[in-house]
Amino acid sequence: MLQHNFKKVTGLTPQQIKQGKNKQNELISLKLAFRPPLNWQHLQSFFALRMIQGVENVTDNHYSRTFVIGSDKGWFRVSAIQDKHYLKVEIHLPNIEKLTMILSNIERVFDLNADTKTIQSQLLKCGVPKDNIITGLRIPGVWDTFEAGCRAILGQQISVKAAITLLSLLTKELGETEGEKYYFPTAKALANSDLAFLKIPNSRKQTLRLFAQHNLNTADSSIDDWLNIKGIGPWTVAYAKMRGQSCPDIWLNTDLIVKKQLEKITIDSELARPWRSYLTFQLWSMA
């Protein structure tokens, strides 16, 4: 939680952050507290199934990924210290002016501030069977809305495994590299590519290019404006809000897996407000 003393959390003073460059290129080590319980296994399993090769790496104990923020590139690695209720975080970031922003995003990606006890109570009230409830459920986030949009577009009407294969290929072909590390492609790189290496329908390639061009031209626009792009519908927008912005009340009731689960159990989704994103992930986990 970034509201606590910044020097205590990072070992750096605000003045040091303002100075900018990490001249020694040192690894920054710190702790980020979370509100227990946290279901680390569920997070890791979800991330592992959707891991983009070269960008992300998932083991039982660690999650790591590269990121781009403005003109700066970096990477981070996290592990959960469950008994002390914090994530151990290591960050490589040449420009430490961006550190506060990076930490805020890591908090969001791992949903560290969720009140999981209250959320669990709501899920039980709406009809989730007690035996199926995931204690400490979090929303596994995506680094930014552009990546979330690409994941959703390439994941339309195919399996998760097939979608991640496409995303890994997209990154290999268009992402920048440093050694063995890859960075997720920029909107500019996608907009300027014919995407011939992707074995998908031309209509989907066109959607991906139009989406990239939209993000290039209107970076600060609302995600809802994506609906003006041919090939993007409400599911894609909702998915990007849920994982790219970590909105807590997204109900993906048109999702195929969710619909199949709703045929098996009776759920009153209105009783899950304002935590319907967690209901979505709960039902996904029961498939």
Side-chain angles (χ1 to χ4, degrees):
M1 299 178 182
L2 294 182
Q3 60 265 33
H4 23 218
N5 184 281
F6 198 73
K7 186 176 189 298
K8 183 178 179 181
V9 173
T10 67
L12 299 167
T13 66
Q15 289 73 27
Q16 287 174 305
I17 298 299
K18 289 178 181 178
Q19 289 172 2
K21 298 299 179 182
N22 184 0
K23 294 179 180 178
Q24 281 74 44
N25 229 14
E26 294 174 348
L27 203 60
I28 301 168
S29 297
L30 50 96
K31 302 173 183 178
L32 287 178
F34 61 79
R35 187 185 308 195
L38 178 145
N39 197 316
W40 182 249
Q41 183 178 1
H42 176 264
L43 277 170
Q44 291 297 82
S45 297
F46 193 91
F47 285 136
L49 188 61
R50 294 159 178 81
M51 179 178 69
I52 300 175
Q53 295 295 325
V55 173
E56 299 172 286
N57 186 47
V58 184
T59 69
D60 289 343
N61 299 318
H62 296 90
Y63 171 89
S64 62
R65 72 159 291 150
T66 61
F67 59 82
V68 178
I69 182 164
S71 60
D72 298 305
K73 299 182 181 68
W75 58 268
F76 70 86
R77 177 171 55 235
V78 303
S79 56
I81 312 300
Q82 291 279 21
D83 58 336
K84 296 184 178 178
H85 307 152
Y86 69 81
L87 293 189
K88 178 184 177 183
V89 185
E90 297 172 297
I91 303 175
H92 180 267
L93 181 67
N95 184 357
I96 59 176
E97 282 185 309
K98 306 287 180 63
L99 182 58
T100 304
M101 194 181 304
I102 298 301
L103 293 178
S104 294
N105 215 27
I106 292 173
E107 282 193 333
R108 181 191 62 77
V109 167
F110 290 90
D111 198 13
L112 297 187
N113 296 325
D115 183 351
T116 54
K117 292 181 180 179
T118 297
I119 293 165
Q120 179 172 315
S121 176
Q122 290 293 108
L123 296 187
L124 288 169
K125 286 179 181 178
C126 81
V128 175
K130 187 175 181 180
D131 291 343
N132 294 113
I133 204 78
I134 298 176
T135 300
L137 180 64
R138 310 285 167 141
I139 298 174
V142 173
W143 187 252
D144 58 34
T145 54
F146 177 69
E147 181 181 322
C150 291
R151 285 175 179 266
I153 292 167
L154 287 177
Q156 292 172 4
Q157 299 177 342
I158 61 175
S159 69
V160 171
K161 183 178 180 181
I164 297 305
T165 297
L166 291 173
L167 283 157
S168 295
L169 179 58
L170 184 76
T171 300
K172 182 179 178 181
E173 293 290 333
L174 299 180
E176 295 186 37
T177 63
E178 286 182 0
E180 295 182 355
K181 289 183 170 63
Y182 282 82
Y183 297 89
F184 193 79
T186 62
K188 183 177 181 180
L190 263 68
N192 292 335
S193 173
D194 62 9
L195 304 177
F197 55 87
L198 291 178
K199 305 305 180 184
I200 57 176
N202 286 332
S203 58
R204 192 154 304 166
K205 292 178 187 178
Q206 181 68 3
T207 297
L208 198 56
R209 285 194 297 265
L210 289 171
F211 171 67
Q213 192 63 54
H214 173 85
N215 276 265
L216 263 181
N217 296 339
T218 55
D220 297 325
S221 68
S222 167
I223 289 182
D224 290 318
D225 292 338
W226 295 2
L227 292 170
N228 297 321
I229 301 170
K230 186 178 180 180
I232 291 183
W235 186 94
T236 299
V237 169
Y239 182 91
K241 286 181 178 179
M242 186 173 69
R243 295 201 62 207
Q245 294 182 329
S246 300
C247 296
D249 197 34
I250 300 298
W251 177 221
L252 285 186
N253 60 324
T254 61
D255 180 85
L256 181 60
I257 295 175
V258 171
K259 288 168 72 172
K260 287 182 177 179
Q261 291 303 310
L262 294 176
E263 292 173 359
K264 300 176 184 178
I265 58 175
T266 301
I267 294 289
D268 185 348
S269 62
E270 291 300 304
L271 294 179
R273 289 181 182 271
W275 313 113
R276 289 179 300 170
S277 293
Y278 297 88
L279 176 58
T280 298
F281 279 102
Q282 173 68 52
L283 294 179
W284 277 351
S285 74
M286 293 163 57

